[in-house]
Amino acid sequence: SQQGEEDPQALSIQEGENATMNCSYKTSINNLQWYRQNSGRGLVHLILIRSNEREKHSGRLRVTLDTSKKSSSLLITASRAADTASYFCATENQAGTALIFGKGTTLSVSS
Amino acid sequence: NAGVMQNPRHLVRRRGQEARLRCSPMKGHSHVYWYRQLPEEGLKFMVYLQKENIIDESGMPKERFSAEFPKEGPSILRIQQVVRGDSAAYFCASSPVPGLAGIEQFFGPGTRLTVL
């Protein structure tokens, strides 16, 4: 079953604007990761946030985690055309042997 | 340090044929994970292997699919008697440590299988 569900499914913005994507999950987690996938390519790891962290930054990325609401958000500030991609959140399965991905948010940034 | 390598990048098979997908993990990584991605979907876990061992195959279809990671050489995902529903992108990922334990996975570029 799907663990993470991203929202919205698709997002279109202009360059320079901020993009916010949300992820909800069902069971307790040790950590949550965000990945990016450019069209037709593999996934690239963006950031990992642990269950005892509330916020984490990496460059133009800001991730928050609210374990009480079982949700996370990814904020990309000052977006660029090169940020156009699909973004997935992922959590670990119970056994810690696999990542469970949501369906992703497709971000389109136009110049 | 080369990343995760997958080949072929594109594979076309007719129904009933066999598909073999190869994955070479990053140097120093001995843990390999296979995922399948259907169009407009996220990745779905299939199998987790260490050298010469299948650790978790809970996401693998019971029939026609098998995976191995021999002592020498790449990991192989084998699909026998392919059907149109097997058409998807298959991704391999590797990690340097057992299980996940909050460690990122490094993904290959994927193999896109098309079954005619």
Side-chain angles (χ1 to χ4, degrees):
Chain A
S1 64
Q2 215 78 26
Q3 167 71 318
E5 293 286 346
E6 289 89 345
D7 166 59
Q9 287 190 342
L11 182 61
S12 293
I13 58 175
Q14 298 283 324
E15 261 190 332
E17 293 181 335
N18 295 342
T20 299
M21 289 158 267
N22 303 297
C23 166
S24 59
Y25 56 91
K26 296 173 184 172
T27 61
S28 61
I29 59 170
N30 294 318
N31 58 75
L32 184 143
Q33 303 184 39
W34 284 90
Y35 285 81
R36 183 186 73 218
Q37 183 180 34
N38 289 82
S39 180
R41 310 290 279 274
L43 274 70
V44 174
H45 180 261
L46 294 176
I47 197 165
L48 179 150
I49 186 165
R50 301 192 187 279
S51 59
N52 61 354
E53 297 175 308
R54 290 295 167 261
E55 188 170 309
K56 201 162 182 180
H57 297 253
S58 177
R60 293 184 296 112
L61 305 180
R62 181 174 79 108
V63 168
T64 62
L65 179 64
D66 186 336
T67 53
S68 66
K69 295 181 180 177
K70 292 187 167 58
S71 67
S72 174
S73 68
L74 170 67
L75 168 67
I76 304 174
T77 60
S79 62
R80 305 166 182 168
D83 295 328
T84 295
S86 292
Y87 292 82
F88 297 90
C89 66
T91 57
E92 295 174 13
N93 65 357
Q94 291 276 9
T97 55
L99 289 176
I100 304 174
F101 289 87
K103 290 188 177 182
T105 292
T106 300
L107 174 66
S108 178
V109 182
S110 53
S111 53
Chain B
N1 187 8
V4 178
M5 310 287 285
Q6 288 188 252
N7 69 81
R9 293 292 307 277
H10 300 273
L11 182 61
V12 178
R13 284 287 178 267
R14 297 193 180 278
R15 280 178 296 170
Q17 291 184 320
E18 178 180 287
R20 280 189 180 231
L21 289 63
R22 294 175 190 77
C23 169
S24 296
M26 284 185 71
K27 188 176 180 180
H29 290 194
S30 57
H31 306 272
V32 165
Y33 311 78
W34 285 94
Y35 294 84
R36 176 165 64 176
Q37 185 178 34
L38 296 170
E40 310 300 326
E41 297 276 331
L43 276 69
K44 296 286 197 299
F45 167 73
M46 299 181 75
V47 61
Y48 163 38
L49 310 104
Q50 295 176 16
K51 287 279 187 182
E52 300 183 281
N53 282 308
I54 296 174
I55 306 302
D56 182 350
E57 57 182 347
S58 58
M60 194 90 104
K62 293 287 185 282
E63 297 178 351
R64 302 188 297 108
F65 286 72
S66 62
E68 62 176 10
F69 189 15
K71 188 176 181 181
E72 301 290 337
S75 175
I76 306 284
L77 178 68
R78 183 182 177 206
I79 311 172
Q80 295 178 291
Q81 298 171 355
V82 295
V83 300
R84 289 216 173 107
D86 297 332
S87 295
Y90 292 82
F91 291 94
C92 167
S94 72
S95 69
V97 296
L100 296 171
I103 302 296
E104 70 173 282
Q105 292 189 339
F106 295 83
F107 282 83
T111 292
R112 274 145 192 85
L113 173 65
T114 301
V115 180
L116 302 177

